[in-house]
């Protein structure tokens, strides 16, 4: 299950110890939840939502892979031709329509989305040139972006589900 606990805790300036105290649990338990080694109970999930003053769905989101497998749902796949000149527009268009980028190659981007429209979510994409340093990549990942890969050491692709956009 994906979550924004670390991000929301940081927005409030709370340490893991402070959050643990507010939840009535150990700091180690908070660390385990934040790192994905442990799933919070339903009670803890609601308490986190209340503390962060957000709906549960803004704090937690089901992993689409897990949901698709559980429901025996199927994917649609689509490849789109794209050049360096129109690629950002293609990414924006496909993301708005619920297409998740799964890969890329010379002049083509690969996408998938659930066949069931109710399971689709919009995606945001970031194409970065001159990524520069591992620190820049780490900052993007900390901001909720998932690294998809690089093409010819020039274009670096990131994606994130829009519901996690700040």
């Amino acid at each position: 299950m994906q979550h924004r606990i670390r991000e929301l805790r940081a927005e409030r300036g709370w340490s893991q110890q402070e959050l643990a105290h507010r939840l009535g649990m150990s700091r180690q338990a908070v660390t385990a939840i934040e790192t994905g080694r442990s799933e919070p109970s339903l009670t803890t999930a609601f308490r986190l939502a209340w503390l962060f003053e957000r709906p549960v769905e803004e704090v937690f989101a089901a992993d689409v892979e897990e949901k698709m497998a559980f429901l025996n749902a199927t994917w649609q796949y689509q490849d789109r031709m794209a050049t360096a000149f129109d690629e950002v527009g293609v990414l924006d268009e496909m993301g708005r329509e619920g297409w998740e980028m799964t890969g890329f190659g010379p002049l083509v981007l690969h996408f998938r989305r659930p066949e069931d429209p109710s399971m689709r979510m919009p995606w945001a994409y970031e194409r970065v040139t001159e990524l520069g340093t591992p620190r820049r990549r780490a900052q993007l990942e900390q901001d909720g972006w998932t690294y998809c890969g690089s093409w010819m050491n020039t274009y670096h692709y990131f994606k994130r589900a829009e519901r996690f956009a700040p």
Side-chain angles (χ1 to χ4, degrees):
M1 171 119 359
Q2 298 175 3
H3 62 77
R4 299 176 57 200
I5 298 168
R6 180 177 293 142
E7 171 192 341
L8 295 169
R9 177 178 58 77
E11 282 178 9
R12 295 208 180 325
W14 296 342
S15 66
Q16 285 184 335
Q17 185 64 47
E18 280 182 89
L19 179 58
H21 177 74
R22 291 170 188 269
L23 291 169
M25 61 176 40
S26 70
R27 183 196 56 75
Q28 291 84 357
V30 169
T31 300
I33 291 170
E34 282 190 0
T35 60
R37 290 191 321 265
S38 174
E39 293 281 337
S41 69
L42 184 58
T43 301
T44 301
F46 272 96
R47 288 178 178 169
L48 285 161
W50 297 334
L51 282 172
F52 296 135
E53 299 174 337
R54 306 277 179 118
V56 172
E57 296 83 7
E58 284 188 25
V59 180
F60 298 94
D63 180 83
V64 71
E65 296 286 338
E66 183 179 347
K67 186 176 181 180
M68 294 287 289
F70 178 76
L71 297 172
N72 288 326
T74 54
W75 295 98
Q76 292 177 322
Y77 293 91
Q78 185 176 82
D79 291 341
R80 285 286 302 268
M81 298 296 291
T83 67
F85 299 108
D86 66 357
E87 185 176 65
V88 172
V90 170
L91 288 167
D92 287 345
E93 174 190 337
M94 297 299 279
R96 281 191 310 273
E97 294 176 6
W99 291 96
E100 175 188 10
M101 186 171 77
T102 58
F104 49 87
L107 301 175
V108 66
L109 302 172
H110 308 289
F111 296 93
R112 71 176 182 182
R113 71 178 177 185
E115 282 190 359
D116 180 349
S118 70
M119 294 178 66
R120 296 177 189 161
M121 71 178 82
W123 286 86
Y125 296 100
E126 191 74 29
R127 183 183 78 176
V128 179
T129 55
E130 300 175 25
L131 188 59
T133 65
R135 186 179 192 158
R136 171 78 168 119
R137 177 176 165 178
Q139 180 61 50
L140 284 164
E141 289 175 345
Q142 183 179 344
D143 291 342
W145 295 94
T146 299
Y147 177 69
C148 300
S150 299
W151 180 251
M152 299 182 70
N153 260 351
T154 302
Y155 301 111
H156 311 278
Y157 300 95
F158 293 83
K159 66 183 175 184
R160 79 173 165 202
E162 275 288 292
R163 72 176 72 178
F164 288 107

